[in-house]
Amino acid sequence: SDLGERTANVRKLIMASPARNYRLVELAEAAGLSIPHFTNLFKKQCGFAPIDFVLRQRIRLGCKLLDTTTATIGSIAEQVGFKDPYYFSRCFTRIMGTSPREYRNAVKG
């Protein structure tokens, strides 16, 4: 459907640059929908609220950087769009079930 395409395009936009600071209003505008309509549709099609989807994409990118670089966790947090490394660690642990440090050690070990 056309509506499905609209939310898919927003997902692509977010996945292309997850570190950007997205506002719900601009995501809804990108889809050409009102905020409530966009939020409901996005959640129905994707399983997550738009902002939660952004967080998950940031964490995904964080995993990739933990896997492939020796950058500090603070530096990675910043690169993926978190101002606060502690908040990054909390979100990472909630989503991945392990801390960034444990994740890196498990992968590298």
Side-chain angles (χ1 to χ4, degrees), residues 11 39-50 52-53 56:
R11 285 201 302 276
T39 303
N40 288 336
L41 192 66
F42 193 99
K43 199 167 187 172
K44 208 163 73 189
Q45 292 181 334
C46 173
F48 300 107
D52 202 30
F53 183 79
R56 285 169 182 275

Side-chain angles (χ1 to χ4, degrees), residues 26-99:
E26 77 174 296
L27 294 176
E29 276 169 10
L33 300 166
S34 70
I35 289 174
H37 189 180
F38 169 72
T39 303
N40 288 336
L41 192 66
F42 193 99
K43 199 167 187 172
K44 208 163 73 189
Q45 292 181 334
C46 173
F48 300 107
I51 298 307
D52 202 30
F53 183 79
V54 171
L55 272 183
R56 285 169 182 275
Q57 293 310 310
R58 289 178 172 185
I59 297 303
R60 232 180 100 210
L61 181 57
C63 288
K64 195 172 148 199
L65 293 172
L66 287 164
D67 288 346
T68 58
T69 73
T70 56
T72 66
I73 288 164
S75 161
I76 288 173
E78 210 170 292
Q79 286 178 65
V80 302
F82 286 86
K83 302 275 175 280
D84 177 359
Y86 297 105
Y87 184 55
F88 169 70
S89 288
R90 278 211 311 278
C91 288
F92 191 99
T93 303
R94 180 170 56 88
I95 290 168
M96 298 303 297
T98 178
S99 75

